[in-house]
Amino acid sequence: HVKKIVKATLVSAAFVALATPATAQTLRGASMFDDNHTFTKTMVKFGDLVEQYYKGDVEFDLRLNGEFGVEKDYVTFLNQGVAIDYTILAPSNMARFAPSIPLMDMPFLFRDLDHWNTVLSSNVMAPLEQELSDKADIVIVGYAGGGTRNLISSKKISNMDELAGHKMRVMGAPIQAQVFNAIGAAPSAISYNEVYNAIQTGVVSGLENEAASIQNLKFYEVAPHITKTAHTITVRPIVFSGKSFRKLPADLQTAIMKAGKEAGAYGRELESREDAIKLKQMADAGQIKVSEFANREKLLVMVKPVQDKFAASIGATELLEAIRNK
Ligand code: MAV
């Protein structure tokens, strides 16, 4: 008798599944931040634009506040085609899958915002996009970013002497550690969600980051000193899992590519414009103390051979020259 009931339940469940009209395609994204951060705003914009450009049904399920972990988790998910379909990633957090990609966010790559803008609106990064697609199965659909990264530390750093031996967290790409080594600091790769605690417990004395993220994650609570090394202007691709992307209808793929470009441009404008405003908000609120760095030009000289060596090691000497000459 019990068996019969189970069978009947299964049959009716199958019947319900068949009778239910096809539900909308759901695409899941992840952000490490709350809804005030530019990355989150950029991904919301991306979803809105896709909905606008695509005639069919599509829904976006964007998970915030690191619910799905941090970028080093996201990159694995995208590569495997599990858990999420899209996000925004620092190129240096994709190094494990595509060793050349961290060239995009190598410190001291861009002279200034104009240079950064010119490079990102050209297609000079195309070979790196190709490598990411081939090796990691991750598709770049647009470029966000535009924050300027500075040092943020528990004690004041304003010159080469104070920088010497400074223990700091860097992203997990070898080129990041090499650059900060070259300027005399003592870098170590620590997962982003462990950095706050690592500073609090004295494992490191700081990190390097941009205003939007410092403000959103309150790193200033443990590291209130900002040193304006302005070493990186961020390049933050909006990325899609190749495995998810290939399953989508062609017209949805087209809508995603168009929306990705536009959402990226929106994010770049927003983050680059808000960068100085956010630094000032934190300074005015007494959360940070800002110092200039006495020898910034010297840093450039120390870093150039490291950049050249990295580019040579990945066969990208010409590409690096092309970026520098833009
Ligand atoms: C900032 O939050 C962002 O640039 C993000 O993309 C990076 O992953 C993060 O810093 C980091 O330093 O890991």
Side-chain angles (χ1 to χ4, degrees):
H1 179 72
V2 172
K3 238 185 194 166
K4 242 186 205 161
I5 295 175
V6 171
K7 213 172 171 192
T9 315
L10 286 177
V11 168
S12 61
F15 179 74
V16 170
L18 280 175
T20 311
T23 47
Q25 180 82 247
T26 300
L27 297 173
R28 186 182 294 143
S31 171
M32 304 194 291
F33 309 100
D34 67 22
D35 41 23
N36 290 315
H37 193 280
T38 10
F39 287 13
T40 307
K41 289 182 180 166
T42 301
M43 285 188 269
V44 168
K45 182 81 174 177
F46 170 67
D48 290 349
L49 289 171
V50 173
E51 281 174 11
Q52 186 182 321
Y53 297 142
Y54 178 54
K55 300 279 176 294
D57 264 350
V58 61
E59 268 167 24
F60 287 86
D61 174 18
L62 179 59
R63 302 298 179 90
L64 309 186
N65 301 307
E67 184 186 334
F68 276 75
V70 286
E71 290 183 11
K72 77 169 170 43
D73 307 308
Y74 303 165
V75 69
T76 308
F77 294 152
L78 295 183
N79 169 259
Q80 296 175 348
V82 299
I84 60 168
D85 303 294
Y86 69 98
T87 189
I88 292 179
L89 287 180
S92 282
N93 287 324
M94 301 192 254
R96 265 184 304 145
F97 295 94
S100 313
I101 198 85
L103 187 81
M104 280 187 185
D105 66 338
M106 183 165 76
F108 298 101
L109 181 61
F110 302 111
R111 289 185 297 276
D112 49 30
L113 266 181
D114 279 347
H115 182 212
W116 168 87
N117 258 316
T118 309
V119 170
L120 286 186
S121 43
S122 75
N123 69 347
V124 71
M125 301 289 197
L128 298 175
E129 294 178 9
Q130 189 59 48
E131 186 192 281
L132 187 68
S133 160
D134 294 345
K135 296 201 173 150
D137 200 9
I138 292 175
V139 184
I140 294 183
V141 303
Y143 286 96
T148 295
R149 283 169 85 101
N150 291 302
L151 299 183
I152 159 158
S153 53
S154 54
K155 50 183 197 292
K156 185 178 165 198
I157 295 173
S158 53
N159 55 46
M160 297 302 301
D161 283 347
E162 286 166 357
L163 181 61
H166 168 59
K167 286 193 199 153
M168 59 179 287
R169 176 268 180 181
V170 293
M171 289 187 282
I175 182 63
Q176 294 284 337
Q178 287 157 15
V179 163
F180 289 97
N181 251 316
I183 61 174
S188 51
I190 295 176
S191 179
Y192 199 52
N193 51 356
E194 287 163 16
V195 178
Y196 185 104
N197 206 237
I199 298 171
Q200 203 171 33
T201 55
V203 171
V204 288
S205 313
L207 70 155
E208 46 91 43
N209 236 254
E210 61 271 39
S213 301
I214 294 170
Q215 188 179 54
N216 212 270
L217 298 179
K218 300 190 167 69
F219 285 120
Y220 52 75
E221 290 175 352
V222 288
H225 296 278
I226 303 265
T227 310
K228 289 188 105 182
T229 42
H231 51 269
T232 304
I233 304 176
T234 61
V235 171
R236 291 294 178 267
I238 307 175
V239 283
F240 226 91
S241 166
K243 294 187 177 61
S244 316
F245 193 78
R246 283 189 297 276
K247 286 186 203 146
L248 303 175
D251 48 349
L252 180 51
Q253 293 178 347
T254 309
I256 286 171
M257 295 310 290
K258 182 167 151 75
K261 274 193 191 56
E262 293 174 20
Y266 160 88
R268 295 202 303 276
E269 191 284 322
L270 182 67
E271 187 162 353
S272 58
R273 177 164 47 79
E274 285 187 349
D275 196 73
I277 298 173
K278 288 188 181 295
L279 271 187
K280 189 168 183 303
Q281 283 170 351
M282 289 185 279
D284 289 349
Q287 293 160 334
I288 56 167
K289 291 187 192 69
V290 180
S291 313
E292 298 299 324
F293 189 77
N295 319 76
R296 190 178 182 279
E297 327 72 59
K298 204 167 167 197
L299 299 180
L300 281 170
V301 177
M302 294 166 107
V303 164
K304 187 161 180 290
V306 178
Q307 294 183 327
D308 291 346
K309 200 172 159 203
F310 172 60
S313 78
I314 56 168
T317 300
E318 276 176 28
L319 176 60
L320 177 56
E321 279 313 303
I323 294 173
R324 284 179 179 154
N325 292 334
K326 279 274 167 201

